[in-house]
Amino acid sequence: MGDAIKVLLVDDHQVVRRGLRTFLEVQDDIEVVGEAADGAEGVARAEELRPDVVLMDVKMPGMDGVDALRKLRELDNPARVLIVTSFTEQRTVIPALRAGAAGYVYKDVDPDALAGAIRSVHAGHILLQPEVAGALLSQEEANSGQGRAGSLTEREREVLGLIADGRSNREIARALVLSEKTVKTHVSNILMKLDLADRTQAALWAVRHGVTG
């Protein structure tokens, strides 16, 4: 087992950890070296055991998986982290990837595919489900508008901030002492300059880039 991939399991559900261990222990090239029930314990065990790969849940009591990822990066821990979770929302996916996850798979993943994922991230690859890759691409496309932010006038940035706050055109007009027609013009200009389709995308863009009312 000297050349086996050392794996640490971090999940708050014992039955999940047991299932993962039962399957992984029959793999000739994978060795489960430990378990942890939350992010804080996972970080401590990763520092103690120095695994090659950590299988990490996202939603856990106390320190969650994203915070644990950030802590491991702060500690310069070399372990590759593979997120194994049932959560698929973009608001969960993107922070995990940005915190340093090397891969992201779902808990209903085929066992052989999971073993393959562990080998893949251990080899230095980035492994994402197609839906996750799509979410990341959407985020990067939204971020590409950052360079266009400079084309917004000060008034347009004010309007954008109020859109992010959920204000209607009428409410924005009252807040800025403008006519609704003028506000509509500003909104149209914002969407055109940032290459966005609607107010919802504008609000998301504003939140991502720190433009608030």
Side-chain angles (χ1 to χ4, degrees):
M1 295 289 287
D3 295 328
I5 301 170
K6 296 184 292 184
V7 174
L8 173 67
L9 309 177
V10 184
D11 194 294
D12 59 318
H13 293 102
Q14 184 177 5
V15 67
V16 173
R17 300 198 307 273
R18 184 176 300 164
L20 289 171
R21 177 183 281 276
T22 298
F23 168 71
L24 294 176
E25 284 183 340
V26 303
Q27 304 298 311
D28 293 336
D29 60 340
I30 296 174
E31 177 188 6
V32 177
V33 296
E35 300 180 15
D38 58 48
E41 184 182 4
V43 171
R45 296 288 278 166
E47 285 290 278
E48 172 193 354
L49 300 170
R50 308 303 281 186
D52 299 307
V53 176
V54 178
L55 299 190
M56 181 94 71
D57 193 8
V58 175
K59 299 296 184 183
M60 295 181 286
M63 180 185 288
D64 65 15
V66 175
D67 286 338
L69 270 160
R70 293 184 179 123
K71 187 63 176 178
L72 287 173
R73 297 291 81 83
E74 288 175 10
L75 294 170
D76 202 26
N77 190 291
R80 302 276 286 171
V81 177
L82 178 64
I83 295 294
V84 183
T85 185
S86 56
F87 291 90
T88 63
E89 299 93 338
Q90 184 172 336
R91 64 177 180 273
T92 300
V93 174
I94 299 301
L97 296 176
R98 298 218 179 282
Y104 195 111
V105 296
Y106 304 134
K107 286 185 177 178
D108 61 356
V109 65
D110 178 84
D112 289 332
L114 176 60
I118 291 171
R119 297 181 185 110
S120 182
V121 298
H122 178 249
H125 302 300
I126 300 296
L127 182 72
L128 303 176
Q129 295 286 337
E131 301 93 330
V132 177
L136 181 60
L137 179 61
S138 295
Q139 176 72 66
E140 293 305 324
E141 288 174 344
N143 285 344
S144 69
Q146 180 67 52
R148 294 189 289 271
S151 67
L152 297 179
T153 66
E154 187 60 32
R155 179 63 83 188
E156 287 166 353
R157 289 183 68 88
E158 290 177 339
V159 171
L160 180 58
L162 291 171
I163 290 174
D165 287 343
R167 307 285 191 92
S168 66
N169 283 352
R170 179 173 296 181
E171 292 170 329
I172 293 172
R174 289 201 195 109
L176 299 180
V177 194
L178 300 171
S179 69
E180 283 191 55
K181 182 177 180 180
T182 298
V183 171
K184 288 180 181 178
T185 299
H186 284 314
V187 172
S188 295
N189 289 339
I190 290 167
L191 298 180
M192 178 185 67
K193 289 181 178 180
L194 298 182
D195 194 22
L196 301 173
D198 53 38
R199 294 172 67 94
T200 300
Q201 287 190 8
L204 291 172
W205 189 98
V207 170
R208 287 167 182 155
H209 296 287
V211 180
T212 58

